[in-house]
Amino acid sequence: MPTYRYKAVKSGGEVATGVIDAPTEMDVIERLRDQGMMPMSIALGSAADLAAGKSKSKKRVGLFASRKVTRDQVMSLTRELATLLRAGLPLDRALETLIALAEAPPLIALLQGIRDNVRGGRALSQALEQRPDVFTRFYINLVRAGEAGGALSTVLTRLADTMERNKELRETVISAMIYPIILVIVAALSVVILLIMVVPQFEATFAQSGKALPIPTQVVVWLGAFMKGWWWAALIAVFLIGSAIRGFLKNPKTRARWDAWILRRWLIGDVVTRIETARFARTLATLVGNGVTLLSALTIVKETMTNMEMARVLEGVIVNLREGRGFGKPLADTGLYPKLATQMIIVGEESGRLEEMLMRIADIYDREVQIAIKRFLAVLEPVMILSLAVMVLLIVLSIMLGIIGMNDLVR
């Protein structure tokens, strides 16, 4: 029978940890609730794993302490805070409990600062505003909406769910790009090894022939000599080019042009559009569903989008909405958002079920992202393999031209 490690809140507010043997995770939840405890987290493991995990985490804190609070830590503390508040703990006591559970020094410092602000009379949303480097405007506004509606624990749970879905979407994209990146690295290394290890072996032979080499052979020989003697300069050049590209993309004007160019590209533009639409719909649905006005929600969502062109066109949608022209039709008129998404928004707006439609759009485009990525990789992988084969073939043919020229000279 599987063993599960659990962390749960007792009726008195204390946090308990331990292990339970149970067939499924749901059985663990039911047992904990029967004992008057509210589960915070449940994971497969054993007592030995629990002890080993604690000792390892303490070592990591000492040797490899993180210098900043990560997204995963924010997501975890959000869900745990929601659980503690649902258990009936006051906010300051819930924060105190989280401080006791935290292991990373930056997370402890963050929670202590929030606790001190709350005890000083500030609302949680006001305390979060002191750390804009950790909490986004989206996060803060949702917390403010939860405070205003008296449903902070419910809002925090929805917020954690949204963060988890966004994380899954992000990890889907990252996982899909691992193989193409490996292909690029292998292709680059293969060409470099050919130029450094193979081509120089023919250079002396070509020099002894005394005959002018064909231009392709001269180019390959020169590249081989350059890579062998000046490889460090090539590395510096790659680093400088990478830095220049990063600087280029940090400039708002050039980044906007780049994002607009990407959207017009075949396949990759399709992937980016679906990713942004899924994130846009889920974030907007979460805000609207928790009491934030549509106008304010759109302003917040615009700042959370990574594609600046798709964010820019929302400015016109906001203007139209402010002037009473609705939301769905102006969004469709931009031409950047998928027709299915905009039509569903129009239907949701007309029927008064906008939040429901936005959530459906998010679910649909989460699946569409996976399909679009598979389609993109189905084209990209053979293109990259073919490109590598062509580069190797060109190098080999260049060497063969030189050898053929030498044979002609011998005759």
Side-chain angles (χ1 to χ4, degrees):
M1 186 177 294
T3 300
Y4 291 89
R5 293 182 286 112
Y6 70 84
K7 187 190 299 181
V9 185
K10 296 181 180 179
S11 56
E14 299 87 0
V15 176
T17 58
V19 293
I20 290 180
D21 293 331
T24 65
E25 188 174 316
M26 286 305 300
D27 291 315
V28 177
I29 293 173
E30 288 178 6
R31 287 191 196 179
L32 292 173
R33 287 177 176 170
D34 289 342
Q35 297 172 21
M37 292 190 287
M38 182 172 289
M40 293 178 67
S41 64
I42 297 171
L44 277 171
S46 63
D49 293 336
L50 182 63
K54 286 182 178 178
S55 62
K56 286 180 182 178
S57 64
K58 289 179 181 177
K59 289 179 183 178
R60 281 197 296 270
V61 169
L63 297 175
F64 306 104
S66 175
R67 296 182 181 179
K68 61 180 182 178
V69 180
T70 65
R71 288 178 180 174
D72 287 348
Q73 288 172 337
V74 173
M75 183 175 68
S76 178
L77 77 86
T78 302
R79 193 171 293 283
E80 290 176 357
L81 181 59
T83 304
L84 292 168
L85 293 176
R86 281 204 310 274
L89 269 69
L91 179 58
D92 62 335
R93 189 174 172 188
L95 290 169
E96 196 69 54
T97 303
L98 290 178
I99 292 169
L101 291 172
E103 294 170 340
L107 182 59
I108 294 172
L110 171 72
L111 290 169
Q112 287 173 338
I114 295 172
R115 178 204 58 193
D116 293 342
N117 277 288
V118 168
R119 286 181 175 174
R122 291 184 176 180
L124 178 59
S125 58
Q126 293 174 324
L128 300 181
E129 284 179 330
Q130 306 302 310
R131 293 299 303 270
D133 57 315
V134 177
F135 301 102
T136 63
R137 190 179 170 197
F138 163 68
Y139 192 107
I140 294 168
N141 275 273
L142 268 183
V143 171
R144 184 176 290 116
E147 290 171 332
L152 183 57
S153 61
T154 303
V155 169
L156 287 172
T157 301
R158 290 180 182 176
L159 181 55
D161 291 340
T162 300
M163 293 173 71
E164 194 168 324
R165 293 299 296 271
N166 286 338
K167 178 188 174 184
E168 291 173 1
L169 180 61
R170 187 167 59 250
E171 288 180 346
T172 298
V173 177
I174 292 173
S175 299
M177 294 309 297
I178 289 175
Y179 182 61
I181 290 171
I182 292 174
L183 273 181
V184 170
I185 293 172
V186 169
L189 286 176
S190 300
V191 172
V192 168
I193 289 171
L194 275 174
L195 291 173
I196 292 178
M197 306 291 292
V198 178
V199 172
Q201 296 182 13
F202 293 90
E203 186 177 358
T205 304
F206 290 150
Q208 290 174 2
S209 69
K211 183 181 179 182
L213 297 172
I215 292 177
T217 309
Q218 292 180 34
V219 171
V220 169
V221 169
W222 180 86
L223 284 174
F226 176 81
M227 291 300 297
K228 188 174 183 180
W230 297 84
W231 58 268
W232 53 270
L235 288 178
I236 293 174
V238 170
F239 174 77
L240 291 176
I241 292 171
S243 299
I245 292 173
R246 282 196 299 272
F248 172 83
L249 294 178
K250 283 182 179 179
N251 184 293
K253 291 183 179 179
T254 53
R255 174 61 186 271
R257 288 198 294 269
W258 168 259
D259 286 348
W261 182 84
I262 283 290
L263 291 177
R264 294 192 297 269
R265 301 284 70 79
W266 179 60
L267 285 179
I268 184 63
D270 192 44
V271 173
V272 172
T273 299
R274 279 165 168 72
I275 291 171
E276 289 295 318
T277 301
R279 184 183 292 118
F280 164 81
R282 191 172 304 283
T283 306
L284 187 59
T286 306
L287 286 165
V288 172
N290 287 283
V292 180
T293 64
L294 182 56
L295 193 59
S296 299
L298 275 174
T299 305
I300 296 167
V301 170
K302 183 172 72 70
E303 296 177 3
T304 65
M305 300 187 71
T306 54
N307 187 281
M308 294 184 67
E309 180 64 9
M310 293 187 74
R312 182 189 64 79
V313 298
L314 288 180
E315 295 175 3
V317 176
I318 292 170
V319 171
N320 278 281
L321 181 62
R322 189 178 290 118
E323 294 174 354
R325 298 173 189 167
F327 166 45
K329 185 63 169 62
L331 187 68
D333 291 341
T334 64
L336 290 182
Y337 290 81
K339 291 183 179 179
L340 174 61
T342 55
Q343 289 302 311
M344 288 180 70
I345 287 172
I346 291 171
V347 171
E349 196 174 17
E350 292 174 350
S351 62
R353 297 186 300 154
L354 181 59
E355 179 194 353
E356 179 186 340
M357 285 300 181
L358 286 169
M359 277 300 185
R360 287 187 184 180
I361 291 168
D363 292 338
I364 289 170
Y365 282 94
D366 277 344
R367 293 190 294 270
E368 287 287 323
V369 165
Q370 297 180 11
I371 295 171
I373 287 176
K374 287 179 182 178
R375 188 182 301 129
F376 174 69
L377 293 180
V379 175
L380 181 64
E381 289 171 14
V383 167
M384 293 180 67
I385 293 171
L386 183 61
S387 299
L388 172 60
V390 169
M391 286 189 289
V392 172
L393 179 63
L394 289 175
I395 293 173
V396 172
L397 286 177
S398 299
I399 298 297
M400 292 300 296
L401 284 174
I403 293 173
I404 291 171
M406 290 175 58
N407 291 336
D408 291 343
L409 182 63
V410 170
R411 290 195 186 97

